[in-house]
Structure formats: C-alpha cells, structure tokens
Amino acid sequence: MVNTKVTLSGITLDNPVIPASGTFGYGYEFAELYDINILGSFSFKGTTREPRFGNPTPRIAECTAGLINSVGLQNPGIDKVISEELPKMRKCFHKPVIANISGFSVDEYAYCCERIDKEDQVGIIEVNVSCPNVHHGGMAFGTSPEAAAEVTRAVKAVTTKPVYIKLSPNVTDIAAVAKACEEAGADGISLINTMMGMRIDLKTKRPVIANKMGGFSGSAIFPVAVRMVYQVAEAVNIPVIGMGGVSSAEDVIEMMLAGATAVQVGAANLVDPFACKNIIEDLPRVMEQYGIKDLNEIIGGAHK
Amino acid sequence: MKQSIFTVKSNQHLTDTVLKMVLAGDTSAITASGQFVNIKLDGFFLRRPISVCDYNEKTLTILYKVVGKGTQYLSTLAAGKQLDILTGLGNGYDTSKSGMHPLLIGGGVGVPPMYRLAKNLLEEGKKPEVILGFNTKAEAFYIDEFRALGVPVHVATADGSLGTKGFVTDVVKTLKDYTYFYTCGPEPMLKALSDVTETSGQLSFEERMGCGFGACMGCSCETKYGNKRICKDGPVLEKEEIKW
C-alpha cells in the first residue's frame, strides 16, 4: 500500500488531486457522474461580491494542446453562492472545500472572504489575484508584489481559515510576488493561473475571442507551471498548490517533485469529465512504478 | 451524459463538404432529438460537438460539415476507427408543446436534428411539415430521407437552383395553420424565423464550447429566464425567452 495522503495547513487530504476553480462548478453536476468524495478536495467557481454574467461570447478558442478562455468570472455572486450553491454542494461533497474568491478592489476581496470564512465546509480560502480576463480587475493585484500583499493583509485581517493566494504567471518575477504574499501572512500559494493568449481566425481575420484575449491553459502550459512552482517553492516556506496543464498521475508526481504539496487539475476536466477520477485511480500504480511509497517524501524532491 | 467508445461503421459524403457517419456504441444516454454528442479526436485538445441526426439502441447517426481541421480529420476516418464520445448532451427538443401540425425548419447543418425530431413527432401521431434551406442545389442533402418519412417537405435555396428561390422564411410566410415550430440553423435564420412565425417555437443555437457539459461557462447566454449555458441548459431555447 502506498500513502497518497497529504496535508495542507492542517487539513489532511486523502490524495493531492483537486479540480481547479472554474472547471468544476460547485461539484454537484460532476457528482451525477461519479462519487466526487474520492477527490482530495475541490476549488469551487470563482466568486465575487456581485453576480456577474462575464464576458461576451465567443469565450473559447482551441489551441494546440490547450484552450483560451475568456469567461470573465461568471458567477451568481456571494449571496447566492452561500444561500443556493453551497447547500447543493454540501449534499454531494462531505470534505473541506476550497473557496475561490475574486475581487475588483481590496474591500471586495475582504468582504467576500469574511463572508465565506463563516461557512463550515470551507477548509481553505483561495484568493484569485490573477484572473486575466477582467479589465481593471484581478490582473493589477497579481502583477505587483505590493498589491498582492495588500490583498493578502486585508483578507487575513478578517478571516480565520487558511488563506492561499492564487498567482498569475503573467509576471517577470513570480517568486517576488509569492514572497510578498508570504510576508503579508498568506498560509499558502496556488499557482499558476492561466497565461494570457490570443488566437486570430484566418477566415474573419479577427480575434476568435470576443474580448480579443483570454487565459491559455491545458497541457501546453505544464512545463511553464512546473518551472514556476519550482521557483516559488524555493522562495517561500509555506505550502504550494501546483496547477497548470496537469492531466495525468505522472504530471501530479512531477508537480510535487517541483515543490507542490497538492495539485489542481483544470483544463483536463473540460475534455474528460472523469479526468480527476482517472488520475486518482492511476496514482498508486504510477507511484509504485517510480518506487514512491509516500507522496510526502517527494514534495520538493527536485530541489536537492 | 455518458462517456463511451463508439466504432465507426460508415463515413460517406452526402455533398462536397457534408458527410454522414454511422457509429456503433451505447446510445442509452440520448433521451431527446436535438441533443448533441461531443467527440474526442486524436491530436485535438477540445472535443467536437455535433448534433444527433438519428439513433437506435446500438447506432448513432451524425451528419456534419467540414468547416475546420477537426471536422476535416473526422472526414478521413474509415470504418473500424474507435472514438471516445460523450453522449446525451444538451436538453433537446420538447415535443409535448408541438400541437398537431408543427413546422420543422432546418438550415444547412441545422438540418440533421430535424430528422429524428420528425420521426418522434410522427410516432406521437402528429403531422409535422418540413422546410429545408440550403445555399445551392449542390449543397442540399437528406431531402429524400425526409420524404421517405412520409411528411410534406419544402426546399428553399438561396440561388434558386432547387425548390423555392430564397430563404426558409419565404416558405414559412406561405404556410398557414401550423401549431408550433422547431428550428436549427445559422443565427440570422433563427432570428428571421422568430420574427416571421405566428406561433411559439423552439430554436437550437450554436456556440463555441469548451467542455460541452456545463462545467466551464464558455457558452453562456443571457435569456429572459436568466443566464443559460448553451451546452447544458440549451442548445434548444424557447422563442419567448430569447434576447436577440
């Protein structure tokens, strides 16, 4: 028997596999397909203070080994998330969940995090300072160490649960942003969010995405994500959740070797609704193949 | 929704760019006409959503147009090729609202879902009337198959090379006493039909999709009944709820 249990800020997960925010809704629709309690946890759809429809369509453009999305944080707003979505989620998922929070001002981050902090089932608050889709939005916070730290401090002041800051890869020095968040009190770092990308339709000679640009994700960005997780893990002493193009049990192990304690799976869920289930079922076999008895032994193993 | 492996039984051209593919596999998740399937293709990241033309317990028939690299690849597949397909996606058409004499209006690649819908309505003892629109005679397909069902079939072509010269709306304007309408086709056609029809109806929409099963919010639209996902809450919307 191999050990797949890992611990994030005192919360033990049965395995490190976590569907990433925005690719898994609030879980209950996937629960019709399989028992989602096999997951380590999951990060629910990014939530803002007000309801948002998001960006105009087309919001999706296919790429080699990935896709660009420009959903623009569509969500029902924090009131409805708490009153309608979380009760539905609770019926099908019985483990601590990761609440993903976005905002357009420091006050909004603090307001939403304070509200969600009171929800019993929330184990970790994941603060998205990196969504690249919204003008005057998350982008500004995640691209500056000072701004990311300001959000972290504001959120930490009004919450009791572990706060993980989810970073944007669209920066020159991601380690500096991560360090600033750690110094501001962050309990962990999630990375990477999507990379800014663009496609142009040769027939119309116009951008495919209505909003012109969007966030690129999928297996194509996996090497970039591994590199950034490695850099951040080297720079900070708080846990890292690694994500970006993860689509197999081998990818999970590689991400952990780079320094991740847990791993999120995003775009792969959109191609295969059973992606996380398949990865979890495959993980013990791949661990044995590489002589790994306990996943905790390999976290950051590539740094030696 | 179900994920399963299908085997290509045949894949033949109906026109220069439209093909008919018959696949063998588990169709048990398909519950209504107007639903679609989402097909994984080697070398392409996203699946390809394609409407269901017809199905029985063991086979699925799709008619698709080659519009890009994915459908170009699909057109090269030979019998025996296995494909990973998600089935039973989308809401499909609700036949309970049709009345006795519904119009079924398909435009171009919007024609295929009308075929199973016509069969379902006939089985329910109703008398559907079909209008098929194409750009040219060379692009027309499945007219004989619809006629073989024993329903009245009108054809319109934009250049007049077959049937009525003009659009499906030109045919609809000449018809009276229909009780409801169902349609699928390009959005300008759907809008024109919404304006010209005298009854309620259901319209099937197309949108670039991420997942095709409601997870990513890639294909959302605003309706009078709130935000909907074309892939999960649609692709069929009711005339009264659509914000044009």
Side-chain angles (χ1 to χ4, degrees), chain A residues 4-293:
Chain A
T4 60
K5 285 190 164 64
V6 295
T7 303
L8 284 174
S9 304
I11 299 165
T12 299
L13 312 182
D14 289 331
N15 61 70
V17 180
I18 302 170
S21 179
T23 65
F24 211 71
Y26 299 91
Y28 50 82
E29 287 175 327
F30 281 80
E32 293 170 14
L33 303 176
Y34 66 92
D35 180 5
I36 63 171
N37 289 290
I38 64 167
L39 301 167
S41 179
F42 77 90
S43 180
F44 65 64
K45 179 89 183 106
T47 300
T48 54
R49 179 159 51 193
E50 308 297 335
R52 287 178 55 82
F53 173 69
N55 291 327
T57 57
R59 297 173 170 183
I60 302 288
E62 192 184 38
C63 310
T64 303
L67 78 153
I68 295 171
N69 89 80
S70 166
V71 171
L73 293 176
Q74 180 176 349
N75 81 95
I78 186 104
D79 288 342
K80 274 200 172 165
V81 166
I82 289 173
S83 65
E84 293 178 16
E85 301 292 348
L86 297 193
K88 278 197 260 183
M89 184 193 76
R90 238 169 253 135
K91 285 184 188 153
C92 58
F93 191 65
H94 311 121
K95 296 176 173 181
V97 73
I98 299 177
N100 186 282
I101 300 293
S102 283
F104 302 93
S105 68
V106 174
D107 288 348
E108 182 177 356
Y109 280 112
Y111 173 80
C112 292
C113 290
E114 189 174 7
R115 294 276 310 271
I116 213 74
D117 191 59
K118 296 184 175 70
E119 294 300 309
D120 287 343
Q121 206 182 345
V122 171
I124 288 173
I125 300 170
E126 182 175 62
V127 180
N128 172 22
V129 293
S130 48
C131 187
N133 287 333
V134 182
H135 298 299
H136 315 293
M139 190 72 183
F141 295 104
T143 50
S144 142
E146 293 77 19
E150 191 187 351
V151 173
T152 307
R153 273 191 299 274
V155 170
K156 280 298 288 178
V158 294
T159 53
T160 58
K161 292 181 169 160
V163 170
Y164 281 52
I165 308 295
K166 182 169 175 180
L167 300 185
S168 167
N170 305 306
V171 296
T172 43
D173 186 358
I174 193 141
V177 184
K179 270 169 108 165
C181 293
E182 181 184 31
E183 284 162 15
D187 299 284
I189 301 290
S190 288
L191 80 161
I192 59 175
N193 207 318
T194 55
M195 306 182 69
M196 285 297 278
M198 184 172 183
R199 294 301 305 272
I200 296 166
D201 186 328
L202 300 192
K203 286 180 195 151
T204 64
K205 299 178 177 61
R206 300 287 305 148
V208 174
I209 299 258
N211 224 23
K212 297 188 178 75
M213 295 165 212
F216 180 38
S217 64
S219 34
I221 71 164
F222 181 67
V224 179
V226 170
R227 183 265 293 179
M228 288 190 154
V229 166
Y230 184 93
Q231 287 177 310
V232 166
E234 196 126 293
V236 300
N237 294 308
I238 48 178
V240 172
I241 303 177
M243 72 199 78
V246 173
S247 56
S248 67
E250 285 85 352
D251 291 349
V252 170
I253 290 172
E254 189 170 338
M255 202 54 109
M256 293 183 78
L257 285 166
T261 298
V263 174
Q264 291 187 7
V265 178
N269 295 316
L270 308 183
V271 180
D272 180 357
F274 298 95
C276 287
K277 180 176 189 280
N278 293 339
I279 291 171
I280 290 165
E281 288 172 356
D282 215 18
L283 194 53
R285 180 191 65 76
V286 178
M287 286 172 67
E288 276 173 21
Q289 186 185 341
Y290 291 97
I292 302 162
K293 290 194 175 62

Side-chain angles (χ1 to χ4, degrees), chain A residues 22-23 29-30 33 53 57-60 62 65-67 71 74 203 208 218-219 267 269-274, chain B residues 1 3 40 44-48 67 86 207-211 213-218 220-222 227 229 232:
Chain A
T23 65
E29 287 175 327
F30 281 80
L33 303 176
F53 173 69
T57 57
R59 297 173 170 183
I60 302 288
E62 192 184 38
L67 78 153
V71 171
Q74 180 176 349
K203 286 180 195 151
V208 174
S219 34
N269 295 316
L270 308 183
V271 180
D272 180 357
F274 298 95
Chain B
M1 176 172 75
Q3 180 180 27
K40 182 87 183 94
F44 296 89
F45 192 77
L46 294 174
R47 291 170 183 266
R48 293 303 188 269
V67 291
L86 299 176
E207 185 53 85
R208 277 179 186 266
M209 291 178 186
C211 61
F213 51 87
C216 73
M217 304 302 205
S220 297
C221 72
E222 291 176 283
N227 299 336
R229 298 160 292 183
K232 175 104 179 177

